[in-house]
Structure formats: C-alpha cells, structure tokens
Amino acid sequence: MFYYLNGTVAAIDLNVAVLDCGGVGFLVNTSATTLSQLKKGEKALLYTYCAIREDAFDIYGFATKRELDAYKQLTSVSGVGPKAALAILSAVNPDGLHMAVVTQNEKALTAAPGIGKKIAQRIILELKDKLGAVSELDFSGGDGGAAPALQPGGKATEAVQALQVLGYDTNTITAAMKGVDVEGLSLQDIIKQALRAISAK
C-alpha cells in the first residue's frame, strides 16, 4: 500500500492529477483544494489512500496529511462515498469541515455538489464526537499565533457561528481566526478582530 507518491505533475484534469514517479504515471483522484496547489511540470508529494476492488485499483491523493485524514473520516460515514468526500473537501478545507461539524453548519456541507441535507446531518452526527475530541484547529502555515480552541458552547464556536450568520464561508472564517486571543478577549472583540482580518484581505 502506498503512503505517498512523490513525482512530477504530468497532467491535471477535473478531480484528477497524473503524477509521474520514475517513468510511471499514477492517476490520482483528488479534491479541488489539492489541485489548486499543483502545477504541471512541477514536483509534488501527495499522501495517498488506495481503494482496491475486483474491477478497480483507485488512488486518492492529497497535498496534506490533514486533508487525507479528513477524507478518511468522511468516507467512514455511512452513505458517503469517495466522490461525495472529494466534493465536500473541494467545498471546504479540513478546518472548514471541522468547523461545520462542531457548529452543526449543514449549509457548509450542502454547498458541495450532490450533498443533500440528510447526508450533511449524518456527517455531523457521526463525526461530531470524533472531531469534538480535537481541542484545536490546525492554523499552521499562516500568520498569527496559536489556534483558538473550538469546542461546543465556547467563545470561539459562538464567534464562528456569528460570522457564518453574516454570510462568510468556513474557509474565510478559518483564515480570519488565526492567532485570535480567544481566552483574553470578549466574544464581541473576537468577532471584531476576525472581521478586521477579513477586511484586510
């Protein structure tokens, strides 16, 4: 079983990329999030999951281990297949998925093509305990300090819900919450800081 593929991007198409590894071209199914980080002719490393059936050997690959883990969590949900999981991860990044589950935001999930309300509710129901056990979101790689804790009923969660009501998508909110001092600020000030960060983009 492959852990990752490391090679040159030979081709990019809708929901797939071809990675040339030592002269062998691997067709890798992936999300729009990962595809946006790939460039034809450049080196890339994709963390992989292999689905082997009698009539197929499908490879799913992602630019980060975190996105691969999110994919595995989604496909563990009853009724969520590989295509549905890729559609969701094309609509929200892993942190956005975490937010959607913890804040029970069905709309963030139904924004993905082919994902209806019942499937979104099932994802939230089946993943809330798994994701709720994670005390922090991963905001590494961006400006700002430590990630705010996102727990049900907490100030960070309430701020996220307020920003969602204002119409901001989960990816925008995730970026805006980087480095926010959740413990030291009031709910109102957390929201103000996030809005300032959004306006500065």
Side-chain angles (χ1 to χ4, degrees):
M1 198 64 67
F2 306 130
Y3 183 75
Y4 63 77
L5 292 174
N6 190 358
T8 302
V9 179
I12 295 175
D13 205 342
L14 182 64
N15 295 328
V16 297
V18 177
L19 210 60
D20 185 330
C21 302
V24 179
F26 292 91
L27 182 69
V28 183
N29 301 278
T30 189
S31 67
T33 303
T34 287
L35 286 176
S36 69
Q37 300 176 50
L38 303 179
K39 290 185 180 179
K40 187 176 178 180
E42 293 191 0
K43 289 281 188 180
L45 185 151
L46 298 180
Y47 294 94
T48 56
Y49 172 81
C50 300
I52 303 174
R53 304 188 303 274
E54 285 186 12
D55 59 345
F57 185 153
D58 295 323
I59 302 173
Y60 298 86
F62 303 92
T64 65
K65 183 69 166 54
R66 186 170 174 79
E67 190 177 12
L68 172 62
D69 291 341
Y71 171 81
K72 290 179 179 178
Q73 288 171 334
L74 283 168
T75 54
S76 73
V77 175
S78 175
V80 178
K83 289 184 179 179
L86 289 181
I88 292 169
L89 290 173
S90 292
V92 295
N93 61 24
D95 288 333
L97 172 65
H98 190 156
M99 278 190 182
V101 171
V102 174
T103 61
Q104 300 184 33
N105 181 7
E106 295 172 13
K107 289 183 178 180
L109 301 177
T110 56
I115 303 301
K117 186 174 181 179
K118 287 185 179 179
I119 290 293
Q121 290 173 338
R122 191 178 301 152
I123 291 169
I124 290 170
L125 179 64
E126 292 190 26
L127 292 187
K128 64 180 181 181
D129 291 335
K130 295 177 184 178
L131 297 183
V134 180
S135 62
E136 294 184 345
L137 290 173
D138 179 10
F139 291 103
S140 61
D143 296 331
L150 189 63
Q151 299 289 356
K155 285 190 291 183
T157 300
E158 290 181 17
V160 167
Q161 290 171 330
L163 292 167
Q164 288 170 339
V165 169
L166 292 174
Y168 295 105
D169 62 69
T170 51
N171 289 345
T172 299
I173 296 169
T174 300
M177 293 289 284
K178 289 178 182 177
V180 174
D181 181 12
V182 173
E183 297 302 322
L185 296 174
S186 67
L187 176 61
Q188 185 176 4
D189 286 337
I190 292 170
I191 295 170
K192 284 181 179 179
Q193 271 202 17
L195 288 172
R196 279 199 293 269
I198 293 170
S199 299
K201 296 294 183 182

